[in-house]
Amino acid sequence: LIGFQVCFRKDSLYSLLEKLFLLVAPNSKSFKAYSKNQLLDSNGITLSIISPLLFPEFEENYNFFEYISSYDLSLSTTSKSKQESILLLSGFQIPFVKDNF
C-alpha cells in the first residue's frame, strides 16, 4: 500500500478527532503539543502518527496493519487565515504550543 485518502465528515470526523486527541495522543510516547507553525498555509495541519496500533480499530485488526510503521494524518479546513485555522482546531482541543503566529 503506497497511500490513500479518506474524507471524514460530520459524526465520523468528530469521532476520529475525539479518539485522536483524547485516546491516542495522550497514550503516545512521542506526543507533544503542536506548533502553530505546523499549519499548512492557512487551511490545515499534518500530524505524524508513529504507532497506528494506538487506535483501537487498528489494534483489533492487527493482522491487516502489522507492517504499517507510521503514517501522516492531514486535517484540512475551509478557513481563510491561519488565525481562523488555529481557532477552529483549538476548538477541537488540539493542543498548540503557546508561540507567536
Side-chain angles (χ1 to χ4, degrees), residues 29-101:
K29 293 177 185 173
S30 63
F31 174 73
K32 61 183 186 321
Y34 302 101
S35 169
K36 293 173 184 172
N37 295 328
Q38 284 181 278
L39 286 171
L40 304 171
D41 298 325
S42 65
N43 66 346
I45 189 169
T46 297
L47 312 170
S48 293
I49 308 295
I50 304 300
S51 176
L53 297 178
L54 292 173
F55 278 98
E57 293 81 1
F58 286 141
E59 189 175 12
E60 291 169 6
N61 298 293
Y62 172 76
N63 55 330
F64 295 115
F65 303 103
E66 62 185 307
Y67 299 110
I68 297 176
S69 59
S70 66
Y71 57 93
D72 292 332
L73 176 66
S74 295
L75 302 174
S76 298
T77 71
T78 57
S79 53
K80 296 182 181 5
S81 71
K82 204 175 220 185
Q83 290 177 328
E84 283 182 16
S85 293
I86 292 167
L87 184 61
L88 174 67
L89 295 172
S90 62
F92 285 110
Q93 298 183 11
I94 296 174
F96 285 105
V97 174
K98 304 261 191 240
D99 56 6
N100 296 328
F101 53 91

Side-chain angles (χ1 to χ4, degrees), residues 7-24 55 57 73 75-78 88-89 91-94:
C7 185
F8 291 99
R9 291 195 168 96
K10 298 184 181 180
D11 292 341
S12 60
L13 171 67
Y14 298 128
S15 176
L16 172 70
L17 291 175
E18 180 180 39
K19 286 178 188 171
L20 180 62
F21 293 107
L22 297 178
L23 180 67
V24 174
F55 278 98
E57 293 81 1
L73 176 66
L75 302 174
S76 298
T77 71
T78 57
L88 174 67
L89 295 172
F92 285 110
Q93 298 183 11
I94 296 174

